[in-house]
Amino acid sequence: MDVSKMTVSINKAINTQEVAVKEKHARTCILGTHHEKGAQTFWSVVNRLPLSSNAVLCWKFCHVFHKLLRDGHPNVLKDSLRYKNELSDMSRMWGHLSEGYGQLCSIYLKLLRTKMEYHTKNPRFAGNLQMSDRQLDEAGESDVNNFFQLTVEMFDYLECELNLFQTVFNSLDMSRSVSVTTAGQCRLAPLIQVILDCSHLYDYTVKLLFKLHSCLPADTLQGHRDRFMEQFTKLKDLFYRSSNLQYFKRLIQIPQLPENPPNFLRASALSEHISPVVVIPAEASSPDSEPVLEKDDLMDMDASQQNSYDSKFDDIFGSSSSSDPFNFNSQNGVNKDEKDHLIDQLYREISGLKAQLENMKTESHRAMLQLKGRISELEAELAEQQHLRQQAADDSEFQRAELDELKKKREDTEKAQRSLTEIERKAQANEQRYSKLKEKYSELVQNHADLLRKNAEVTKQVSVARQAQVDLEREKKELEDSLQRVSDQAQRKTQEQTEVLESLKQELATSKQELQIVQGSLESSAQSEAKWTAQIAELEKERGGLVEAMASREEELSTLRQQLEYTQIKLSSTEESVGRLAKDQRKMLLAESRRAAEQVVQEALRRFEEPALFSCAGSADHLLSKVRSVSSCIEQLEKCWSQYLACPEDISGLLHSVTLLAHLTSDTIVHGSTTCLRAPPEPADSLTEACKQYGRETLTYLSFLEEEGIVENADSTAMRSCLTRITAIGEELLPRGLDIKQEELGDLVDKEMAATSAAIETATARIEEMLSKSRAGDTGVKLEVNERILGSCTSLMQAIKVLIVASKELQREIVESGRGTASPKEFYAKNSRWTEGLISASKAVGWGATVMVDAADLVVQGRGKFEELMVCSHEIAASTAQLVAASKVKADKDSPNLAQLQQASRGVNQATAAVVASTISGKSQIEDTDSMDFSSMTLTQIKRQEMDSQVRVLELENELQKERQKLGELRKKHYELAGVAEGWEEGTEASPPTLQEAITEKE
């Protein structure tokens, strides 16, 4: 395809007119990327466009670029990554505009950046996101962590798609038929690409979530399910709204999501999932593609019609040039000028009729187009009205549901109010019930009894005692208030009774006066005298009852005063006993904690000489870390002791510090003893004596913490001096690595790798020499076995050679990428532990190759064991695995050299398996030729041979068990010595791999 044609198509597709991008221009751009295998031309044209100043131009650029990322050449993504930052800046710039295409361009550019980052990080996904289920499983590499991360990235990707979808719909006035206008189609056209992306992302998200739920607990994936539910609801609504737009009906068939989301907690629900499929029908002919008559065609048509009319005129009236006898001009004498005038008049009429006919055709065609457009608009409006009616129905249903909910809430409110009234009534009853004096006093007695029973735990007792003290004070106050109320009531009663008595006295005096009057008139009425006598007796009786009531009230008041005095005495005694108990308990806890700490330290000193510890070896750096922890603990203990002397109630910090000091001291002593096992004799003796002295000083220090009076004797200077001595010895015991200078490490790496390569070359030459000798001197089965074994050994050496070359390339890449401005030697010196790991691994590979060749030589000569050759093969495979592990510690996980090294490692493993297989096969062939001859043996001899074989089997099984134990001890000792020599225990990032790591790498 011509570059100029592609440039023209790009400029036509990306312009400032607010119309949708024409499909033919976009298709030309896509074909251009496949023709040139990239997007150089596209970006060279786009960089000259004013995308930052025209929002419509930027919007149409995003649409075309989205199409290229989906359907263009795969190199479009690679060529576009350099412009990713420019797209981000443009997105932020357009984001400052809140109207028009500003926000749309900002969100679309953010989506394109997210799409580029996703496909760069996940190259298995094509630009159009189409892939099979098997490819989707391979994308996760059978690792649940990869599937988990891939699902999160798909959620982010789909979130950007839905954000653009929703923003476009929000920017349109859905109350009108916007989908049939050019401005509306310009905004809706890019959503076709968004719908295609969303359908695939939704399908893959559902499948990945089912896979994750089959491997992880449901609680772990709660966040994933919540996010999926939110995106499912949005996508379903947007698909439904899009399917009702007239613009999309003729361009794309939008799928509908199910009514309910998938149930990921039920594994069988995966079979019910149907992947949404977006169908793009065959494109119908647009008005732009209809044939249009050009001006020359119209002129030709007029000429042909003119000729036809001329021929028809000649047929009717005759030819003007005819010379036949029926010429009207000659016969009738008609003037030729009149005839021409008539002809011209007829021509003019015909032309006028033709013009009228063309005008009628044009008008009819224009009216037909207008009617079609009007029909389309009416159909779109009808669809929109139907959609609005459905929305109104849904809103009505929703409002009806809200009304029912409000009614229910009102009923619940009324019930709650009734319940509240009932609760208030019950609360008043409870207040009256608990306001009695006797129940309060009983509660006081019960609390006091509980306080006496709970003296097992001092801290809890103190808190309970304090609470009881508060309760007693409150009860005391309540008793005083009650007593005051009773006293006031008694005084009121007494005053009332006194007033009644005074009134009775007044009445008595009045009665006496009346009595005198009655006695004066006794002669007049004896009956009245008896009546007044009865009344006087009754009044005397009532006065006696009032006097007795007043006496009982005074007795009750005296009793209440005695009870109050008793309660006050009891309260004071309780407070004193609680204080004494708390103080004794604090002293007891401190003493118990001190004794427990002394026991822990004494136990550590006792275990110092136990033989069981000689099988455990410690490291100096671990011992130094323990010493630092003990020093910090001593400072904290002294601080807590000072706080305790200032405030004896706060004892928790002191108890914690004493216990922590005891355990840290025990750990320090134990680690000191284990560190002595690896140390030379003289430093080991010094470290032993220092640890013992530190234990004794710790016991002395703890003994001074028992009494407050001797706090000046609790000095930690002796303990600190012992720790300083242990620190000095531990620093001397730290491993010093290889006995070479750091500046020589770089040269030593190259030397060791060269020596390993030379050892491999030598081993290959020896194998060839052995193969030649075997072919010259052996025949039959032995020659076949030797050729197979030596051939597999040669293949193994070739694989190791490839591995060494790959390791050198990876090391060179690591050095170049990590050294910066420093030299390679400085880089090796800076990363000395990693360098020492490489040196150790290279030595192991070279040594393994030499030993395997020696074993193969003995096997070929018939003086060796097949098992020894198999063991050597496994050993050299483990050594190469150690070299791979040491090489890739600092390598980039996406490095091609690392991938090449891992491929070479797999080749070594396959070659090792071939050596083992050929050895086993050769051994079986040799043993088959040496089968026993039972033809001349008797029954007794066969039985004897069977017994001897059984004895031999038992002996071999016993020897096998012993050899396995010996092998375990040898491996353990080997790695202990290697760790001491090379400083593996320092925890550097380049420590050589353990045996288990080497075996894992080999597998």
Side-chain angles (χ1 to χ4, degrees):
M1 179 180 291
D2 191 5
V3 176
S4 61
K5 183 178 180 181
M6 184 177 177
T7 303
V8 172
S9 298
I10 294 172
N11 288 323
K12 287 183 178 181
I14 306 174
N15 53 43
T16 58
Q17 298 178 4
E18 195 174 3
V19 295
V21 177
K22 290 188 177 181
E23 189 64 26
K24 60 181 180 180
H25 299 323
R27 189 182 301 110
T28 303
C29 297
I30 294 172
L31 294 176
T33 60
H34 287 280
H35 178 73
E36 69 176 1
K37 294 181 174 56
Q40 296 86 356
T41 303
F42 173 77
W43 282 108
S44 65
V45 175
V46 168
N47 287 333
R48 295 193 294 269
L49 298 177
L51 301 180
S52 300
S53 59
N54 192 303
V56 176
L57 192 69
C58 182
W59 176 255
K60 299 179 77 171
F61 154 74
C62 294
H63 185 190
V64 176
F65 185 40
H66 197 172
K67 280 180 168 288
L68 294 183
L69 289 177
R70 280 187 52 83
D71 303 324
H73 194 272
N75 289 336
V76 171
L77 178 61
K78 297 180 181 178
D79 295 339
S80 304
L81 289 177
R82 69 183 69 176
Y83 303 99
K84 187 170 63 174
N85 293 332
E86 297 179 9
L87 297 180
S88 299
D89 296 338
M90 197 182 306
S91 174
R92 286 192 295 271
M93 187 271 293
W94 284 117
H96 295 298
L97 298 180
S98 59
E99 296 180 357
Y101 282 86
Q103 287 294 326
L104 296 178
C105 293
S106 176
I107 295 174
Y108 207 166
L109 289 169
K110 189 179 297 182
L111 167 61
L112 294 176
R113 178 183 174 90
T114 302
K115 184 176 182 67
M116 295 168 64
E117 292 175 349
Y118 178 84
H119 290 285
T120 303
K121 190 173 182 180
N122 302 282
R124 295 177 182 267
F125 287 81
N128 56 9
L129 293 173
Q130 292 182 358
M131 67 186 325
S132 61
D133 293 344
R134 182 178 60 82
Q135 292 173 335
L136 182 61
D137 292 338
E138 292 175 355
E141 299 178 354
S142 301
D143 189 353
V144 67
N145 296 321
N146 294 340
F147 285 118
F148 190 95
Q149 182 62 27
L150 186 61
T151 307
V152 174
E153 294 172 359
M154 283 190 178
F155 279 142
D156 297 339
Y157 194 173
L158 185 57
E159 187 70 25
C160 293
E161 300 276 2
L162 294 176
N163 192 12
L164 177 61
F165 216 144
Q166 187 66 45
T167 306
V168 171
F169 272 14
N170 293 339
S171 67
L172 297 175
D173 186 4
M174 304 306 294
S175 62
R176 296 184 299 172
S177 302
V178 294
S179 63
V180 297
T181 63
T182 57
Q185 291 177 0
C186 182
R187 299 192 182 191
L188 292 174
L191 295 187
I192 296 177
Q193 311 301 317
V194 175
I195 292 172
L196 293 170
D197 288 344
C198 289
S199 63
H200 291 297
L201 290 175
Y202 167 79
D203 183 30
Y204 300 155
T205 303
V206 172
K207 293 177 181 178
L208 289 177
L209 283 177
F210 273 110
K211 184 178 294 293
L212 288 176
H213 277 80
S214 63
C215 302
L216 297 176
D219 295 339
T220 305
L221 300 172
Q222 182 63 43
H224 279 48
R225 291 197 300 273
D226 295 341
R227 195 171 183 186
F228 174 82
M229 285 296 300
E230 180 182 359
Q231 294 185 353
F232 173 83
T233 304
K234 291 182 180 179
L235 186 60
K236 180 180 177 182
D237 178 67
L238 293 173
F239 274 7
Y240 175 77
R241 295 172 63 183
S242 301
S243 61
N244 292 327
L245 292 178
Q246 186 66 26
Y247 175 70
F248 289 122
K249 289 184 177 179
R250 64 183 183 87
L251 297 177
I252 188 172
Q253 183 178 344
I254 303 175
Q256 296 299 320
L257 299 185
E259 184 66 23
N260 298 318
N263 185 7
F264 299 109
L265 301 180
R266 184 168 57 89
S268 60
L270 178 60
S271 60
E272 302 172 3
H273 169 66
I274 300 176
S275 300
V277 179
V278 179
V279 179
I280 300 179
E283 296 181 358
S285 61
S286 60
D288 295 335
S289 62
E290 292 181 1
V292 179
L293 295 178
E294 300 293 341
K295 183 176 180 180
D296 295 339
D297 297 335
L298 292 174
M299 293 176 64
D300 294 339
M301 185 182 68
D302 292 341
S304 62
Q305 291 179 353
Q306 180 67 34
N307 293 332
S308 64
Y309 288 130
D310 291 344
S311 62
K312 291 180 180 179
F313 183 82
D314 293 338
D315 292 340
I316 297 174
F317 299 99
S319 176
S320 60
S321 61
S322 177
S323 60
D324 59 13
F326 299 98
N327 192 322
F328 291 97
N329 293 331
S330 60
Q331 292 181 1
N332 299 330
V334 180
N335 191 353
K336 185 175 181 180
D337 292 336
E338 296 178 357
K339 175 183 171 182
D340 293 338
H341 179 71
L342 180 61
I343 290 173
D344 292 339
Q345 183 179 0
L346 291 174
Y347 271 132
R348 286 193 297 271
E349 292 179 358
I350 291 172
S351 298
L353 292 174
K354 285 170 59 179
Q356 292 179 2
L357 180 62
E358 290 299 325
N359 290 333
M360 292 177 62
K361 288 182 178 180
T362 303
E363 291 295 334
S364 64
H365 182 67
R366 184 181 298 108
M368 182 181 65
L369 293 178
Q370 290 179 354
L371 290 175
K372 286 184 178 179
R374 182 58 180 168
I375 290 172
S376 300
E377 291 180 359
L378 291 175
E379 289 179 350
E381 290 181 359
L382 178 61
E384 294 296 329
Q385 292 298 330
Q386 290 177 351
H387 177 66
L388 293 175
R389 184 182 64 183
Q390 182 64 31
Q391 285 184 345
D394 295 340
D395 293 340
S396 177
E397 185 65 27
F398 178 73
Q399 291 176 358
R400 188 180 295 108
E402 284 187 345
L403 181 59
D404 295 338
E405 185 68 22
L406 289 174
K407 290 181 179 178
K408 292 181 180 179
K409 288 183 178 179
R410 187 180 64 183
E411 294 176 357
D412 294 339
T413 304
E414 293 177 353
K415 292 181 180 178
Q417 290 178 352
R418 291 194 295 269
S419 300
L420 180 61
T421 304
E422 183 66 22
I423 291 172
E424 291 178 351
R425 186 183 61 79
K426 291 181 179 180
Q428 293 177 358
N430 290 332
E431 290 178 359
Q432 294 176 0
R433 187 179 302 111
Y434 287 101
S435 64
K436 296 181 180 180
L437 177 63
K438 291 183 180 181
E439 292 180 359
K440 289 292 183 178
Y441 182 72
S442 299
E443 182 181 356
L444 175 62
V445 175
Q446 184 65 31
N447 288 334
H448 181 63
D450 293 340
L451 178 63
L452 294 178
R453 286 195 299 269
K454 295 179 181 179
N455 56 1
E457 299 177 0
V458 171
T459 305
K460 190 173 182 180
Q461 274 189 337
V462 172
S463 62
V464 172
R466 289 175 179 173
Q467 185 63 32
Q469 183 177 358
V470 174
D471 293 340
L472 286 172
E473 292 178 355
R474 186 176 65 252
E475 296 298 335
K476 174 184 175 182
K477 186 176 180 180
E478 291 178 356
L479 285 173
E480 291 176 352
D481 295 341
S482 300
L483 181 59
Q484 184 65 30
R485 288 196 299 269
V486 171
S487 300
D488 295 340
Q489 185 177 5
Q491 290 178 359
R492 287 195 302 271
K493 291 285 187 180
T494 304
Q495 186 176 0
E496 291 175 358
Q497 291 174 359
T498 304
E499 292 175 355
V500 172
L501 183 59
E502 290 295 333
S503 63
L504 289 176
K505 289 180 179 180
Q506 292 177 2
E507 290 178 359
L508 181 59
T510 305
S511 299
K512 288 180 178 180
Q513 293 177 2
E514 292 177 354
L515 182 58
Q516 292 175 0
I517 296 171
V518 170
Q519 288 177 353
S521 60
L522 183 60
E523 295 81 8
S524 61
S525 177
Q527 188 177 1
S528 297
E529 182 180 0
K531 179 180 178 181
W532 284 112
T533 303
Q535 289 181 354
I536 291 171
E538 185 177 355
L539 290 174
E540 289 290 342
K541 183 178 180 182
E542 185 177 355
R543 186 177 67 84
L546 290 174
V547 173
E548 292 177 358
M550 185 176 64
S552 64
R553 290 293 183 180
E554 290 177 355
E555 292 177 358
E556 184 178 357
L557 180 60
S558 176
T559 303
L560 289 175
R561 287 176 179 174
Q562 293 176 359
Q563 290 179 355
L564 178 59
E565 293 175 358
Y566 173 75
T567 303
Q568 290 176 347
I569 295 171
K570 193 172 183 181
L571 178 60
S572 61
S573 62
T574 303
E575 291 175 353
E576 293 176 359
S577 62
V578 168
R580 290 193 301 272
L581 180 62
K583 184 176 181 180
D584 294 338
Q585 290 294 339
R586 284 195 297 270
K587 291 182 179 180
M588 182 178 65
L589 273 179
L590 180 59
E592 291 295 332
S593 299
R594 183 187 60 78
R595 285 194 292 270
E598 290 177 351
Q599 291 177 0
V600 171
V601 177
Q602 290 172 356
E603 178 66 17
L605 291 174
R606 185 184 61 79
R607 293 175 56 195
F608 200 92
E609 304 295 337
E610 284 190 2
L613 293 176
F614 283 95
S615 62
C616 304
S619 59
D621 58 344
H622 198 180
L623 176 61
L624 292 176
S625 66
K626 291 295 181 182
V627 171
R628 288 191 292 270
S629 300
V630 172
S631 300
S632 301
C633 183
I634 292 174
E635 295 178 358
Q636 183 66 25
L637 176 59
E638 291 177 346
K639 181 178 179 182
C640 293
W641 177 253
S642 301
Q643 293 177 355
Y644 170 70
L645 294 179
C647 181
E649 289 79 7
D650 187 9
I651 197 174
S652 58
L654 179 61
L655 296 179
H656 173 73
S657 299
V658 170
T659 305
L660 181 61
L661 176 64
H663 288 284
L664 290 177
T665 300
S666 175
D667 292 343
T668 303
I669 295 173
V670 172
H671 283 86
S673 64
T674 56
T675 305
C676 293
L677 299 178
R678 285 185 173 180
E682 184 176 354
D685 295 339
S686 300
L687 182 60
T688 301
E689 182 60 29
C691 291
K692 291 181 179 179
Q693 181 63 26
Y694 169 65
R696 290 191 292 268
E697 294 295 339
T698 302
L699 293 175
T700 303
Y701 180 79
L702 290 175
S703 64
F704 290 141
L705 298 180
E706 184 174 6
E707 296 294 338
E708 298 89 336
I710 55 174
V711 64
E712 62 276 1
N713 297 328
D715 190 6
S716 61
T717 304
M719 296 171 59
R720 295 180 185 274
S721 62
C722 292
L723 291 176
T724 303
R725 184 181 175 190
I726 294 173
T727 302
I729 298 173
E731 289 176 352
E732 293 178 358
L733 295 177
L734 288 175
R736 304 303 178 186
L738 298 175
D739 295 332
I740 57 176
K741 297 181 180 179
Q742 288 190 344
E743 57 269 14
E744 300 176 0
L745 286 176
D747 296 335
L748 187 58
V749 171
D750 297 335
K751 291 179 181 179
E752 288 299 334
M753 295 300 291
T756 303
S757 301
I760 298 300
E761 294 290 344
T762 303
T764 304
R766 286 186 61 189
I767 292 173
E768 293 293 338
E769 182 181 355
M770 287 186 287
L771 184 60
S772 300
K773 289 182 180 180
S774 176
R775 289 172 178 172
D778 298 329
T779 59
V781 175
K782 186 174 182 181
L783 176 60
E784 179 182 356
V785 171
N786 291 343
E787 285 181 344
R788 189 184 303 117
I789 293 176
L790 294 177
S792 60
C793 292
T794 302
S795 300
L796 177 58
M797 293 301 162
Q798 295 296 333
I800 295 174
K801 202 181 299 182
V802 174
L803 177 70
I804 292 175
V805 173
S807 177
K808 288 181 179 179
E809 294 296 330
L810 180 59
Q811 293 170 21
R812 186 178 298 108
E813 176 185 337
I814 293 172
V815 173
E816 291 297 330
S817 63
R819 68 187 179 90
T821 58
S823 63
K825 291 184 179 181
E826 293 175 350
F827 177 81
Y828 283 122
K830 181 180 179 181
N831 301 272
S832 59
R833 290 305 176 204
W834 176 69
T835 306
E836 292 168 3
L838 291 177
I839 295 172
S840 176
S842 301
K843 287 182 179 180
V845 173
W847 176 82
T850 303
V851 173
M852 192 192 75
V853 173
D854 294 338
D857 190 9
L858 294 176
V859 169
V860 170
Q861 294 178 9
R863 295 185 291 109
K865 297 181 180 180
F866 289 94
E867 291 79 5
E868 184 177 358
L869 181 58
M870 288 189 287
V871 170
C872 291
S873 301
H874 287 299
E875 184 65 28
I876 196 170
S879 300
T880 55
Q882 181 182 353
L883 178 60
V884 171
S887 299
K888 73 177 186 179
V889 167
K890 289 182 173 296
D892 186 5
K893 65 177 182 179
D894 298 328
S895 173
N897 289 327
L898 177 59
Q900 186 177 359
L901 178 63
Q902 292 174 340
Q903 182 65 29
S905 176
R906 288 191 285 270
V908 171
N909 293 336
Q910 295 175 0
T912 303
V915 172
V916 175
S918 61
T919 304
I920 294 174
S921 175
K923 180 181 178 182
S924 62
Q925 283 185 291
I926 297 297
E927 290 176 350
D928 291 342
T929 58
D930 298 337
S931 60
M932 296 181 63
D933 184 12
F934 299 101
S935 59
S936 61
M937 296 179 65
T938 63
L939 178 61
T940 304
Q941 292 175 340
I942 292 175
K943 185 64 176 178
R944 181 63 182 175
Q945 290 287 341
E946 180 182 357
M947 294 176 62
D948 292 341
S949 296
Q950 291 179 353
V951 172
R952 182 59 179 164
V953 166
L954 294 176
E955 291 176 352
L956 290 175
E957 289 178 350
N958 189 20
E959 292 178 2
L960 175 62
Q961 184 66 23
K962 292 180 179 179
E963 289 297 327
R964 283 179 175 171
Q965 295 178 355
K966 183 179 178 181
L967 176 62
E969 294 295 331
L970 288 173
R971 284 178 174 173
K972 183 176 179 181
K973 192 63 178 176
H974 169 261
Y975 282 97
E976 287 179 357
L977 295 177
V980 172
E982 300 186 9
W984 295 353
E985 70 274 5
E986 292 188 4
T988 59
E989 71 279 9
S991 299
T994 62
L995 177 62
Q996 184 63 32
E997 293 173 349
I999 295 174
T1000 305
E1001 178 67 23
K1002 174 176 178 291
E1003 295 176 351

